[in-house]
Amino acid sequence: MTNACTPRLPWCRKELAHVIRREQGSPAGRYVWLVGYLVLMVAGASLSVIAMVRVPQLGGLALMATLATAVAFLGLQVAFDRREEIAADLFAVELTHDLDAAAELMRFLDEHVTRPLPDGRLARAATRLERCWFATHPPAPARLAAMRRHLAEQGGR
């Protein structure tokens, strides 16, 4: 039986970087984040309904504030996830100094994991928006550029 994580499988090193760095939050931390989000949304929705009933002129404003908060909360989560992905990339490339393997990983992900752009102008635009604003992994070119910069900085020390 062979080990599934061989030196030429760069995603193994990348995922090991997550484990070694121990940055993945505990399940309790994820639940706290989710519960906090749900409490925020229920409180915002309740305040919006109360505002619509008691002061109709402020109902729309309260609803917009709730929606803006929801989007900001999700944006923070995506930003934290992307930061952790970049940190794991940098850790893995610092250990291996193998940008070719990192590029191979990015090609593999693009070919086998990333959902292809759908047909139709609106569907393509929606998919691009989703990748830009809601994807937990930064785009491959940004990840590779960060790794190149990191190795250059490490070489200059």
Side-chain angles (χ1 to χ4, degrees):
M1 185 163 215
T2 63
N3 183 353
C5 190
T6 65
R8 286 309 304 161
L9 295 177
W11 52 88
C12 290
R13 291 190 299 260
K14 166 80 169 54
E15 296 309 316
L16 284 173
H18 281 294
V19 173
I20 292 169
R21 291 186 70 248
R22 298 177 192 255
E23 90 265 339
Q24 295 297 331
S26 68
R30 292 278 183 191
Y31 287 124
V32 167
W33 185 266
L34 177 62
V35 168
Y37 182 75
L38 292 175
V39 166
L40 182 68
M41 292 301 93
V42 168
S46 299
L47 290 173
S48 296
V49 169
I50 290 169
M52 284 183 209
V53 170
R54 294 202 176 178
V55 187
Q57 302 89 331
L58 296 179
L61 182 62
L63 185 60
M64 292 303 291
T66 299
L67 292 175
T69 303
V71 170
F73 207 88
L74 291 175
L76 279 174
Q77 180 64 48
V78 169
F80 290 144
D81 288 344
R82 286 183 180 187
R83 184 196 68 192
E84 291 302 328
E85 287 300 327
I86 290 288
D89 288 345
L90 300 182
F91 185 79
V93 79
E94 188 173 318
L95 289 176
T96 64
H97 295 276
D98 192 351
L99 278 174
D100 291 335
E104 181 183 331
L105 169 61
M106 301 303 155
R107 279 191 301 278
F108 175 84
L109 292 173
D110 282 345
E111 291 172 10
H112 301 287
V113 177
T114 303
R115 189 177 71 219
L117 286 174
D119 293 332
R121 181 176 281 164
L122 185 59
R124 281 180 179 269
T127 301
R128 286 189 177 118
L129 179 72
E130 176 189 350
R131 287 179 184 173
C132 179
W133 290 100
F134 300 108
T136 57
H137 289 70
R143 294 171 74 182
L144 288 169
M147 287 186 263
R148 266 191 215 95
R149 279 192 310 272
H150 184 70
L151 284 179
E153 290 170 4
Q154 293 297 317
R157 288 184 187 178

